[in-house]
Amino acid sequence: MLKLFGIFAVCMIVAGGDAGAAPPQVDGNELLTLGFKVLVAKTPAQEDWVKRMSPGKIRAMQRTGKKYFIYPDATRKQIYVGGPKEYEAYRELHPDTRLAGEGAADAAKAYRLKQDEAMKKATARDVSDPFYGVDWVDLGW
């Protein structure tokens, strides 16, 4: 049993078992040079909000009709905030970057479209049929 555990540990080290690895960090100084502003959390509610945000990813947010891009820095209890111009400048430097939750929105949209098509088929009725698709089987015969 001890040999088996030892083999497992060696395999994890060799394979680079970094399941708890920290997400890649965005450089705060780079964000500042691109025009992002720093907002420091001053209340416990703000600090909790910063801690709950996806670490290591920029998140899109809309407030009062304006779009913002936010990067949390939980260790310093602050966020970096930029507009579309600043985020576009960041994307030019890092074209492979994705927003936090970006894939989830696409998946949700695909699911809604699939459900919409299923509902259209399920509720499609032929107006010329006075019984709207009712069959003898439906009437218990």
Side-chain angles (χ1 to χ4, degrees):
M1 186 72 157
L2 189 57
K3 278 186 175 182
L4 189 59
F5 181 76
I7 292 171
F8 178 74
V10 169
C11 288
M12 287 299 290
I13 291 170
V14 170
D18 57 332
Q25 295 295 315
V26 176
D27 185 21
N29 290 331
E30 181 181 24
L31 292 176
L32 289 174
T33 59
L34 293 173
F36 280 75
K37 305 289 183 225
V38 175
L39 294 177
V40 179
K42 295 178 183 173
T43 66
Q46 291 172 344
E47 290 175 12
D48 186 47
W49 185 73
V50 171
K51 288 179 187 175
R52 286 185 286 124
M53 290 180 70
S54 301
K57 290 194 173 190
I58 295 177
R59 170 185 174 183
M61 184 177 200
Q62 190 167 348
R63 202 68 153 171
T64 62
K66 295 181 181 178
K67 193 160 191 170
Y68 298 100
F69 295 90
I70 300 171
Y71 176 75
D73 187 353
T75 57
R76 294 183 183 142
K77 299 177 184 175
Q78 64 187 16
I79 58 173
Y80 295 91
V81 182
K85 289 190 298 187
E86 290 81 11
Y87 180 68
E88 201 53 45
Y90 180 79
R91 286 292 303 254
E92 287 178 12
L93 294 175
H94 305 281
D96 57 335
T97 303
R98 294 188 58 122
L99 291 172
E102 192 172 6
D106 295 338
K109 183 177 179 181
Y111 178 76
R112 283 192 303 274
L113 289 174
K114 180 180 168 186
Q115 290 297 89
D116 190 38
E117 288 300 316
M119 282 302 263
K120 285 179 183 175
K121 288 179 183 176
T123 59
R125 298 204 180 346
D126 184 5
V127 180
S128 65
D129 184 3
F131 298 108
Y132 294 113
V134 175
D135 196 5
W136 286 104
V137 175
D138 298 325
L139 298 176
W141 290 83

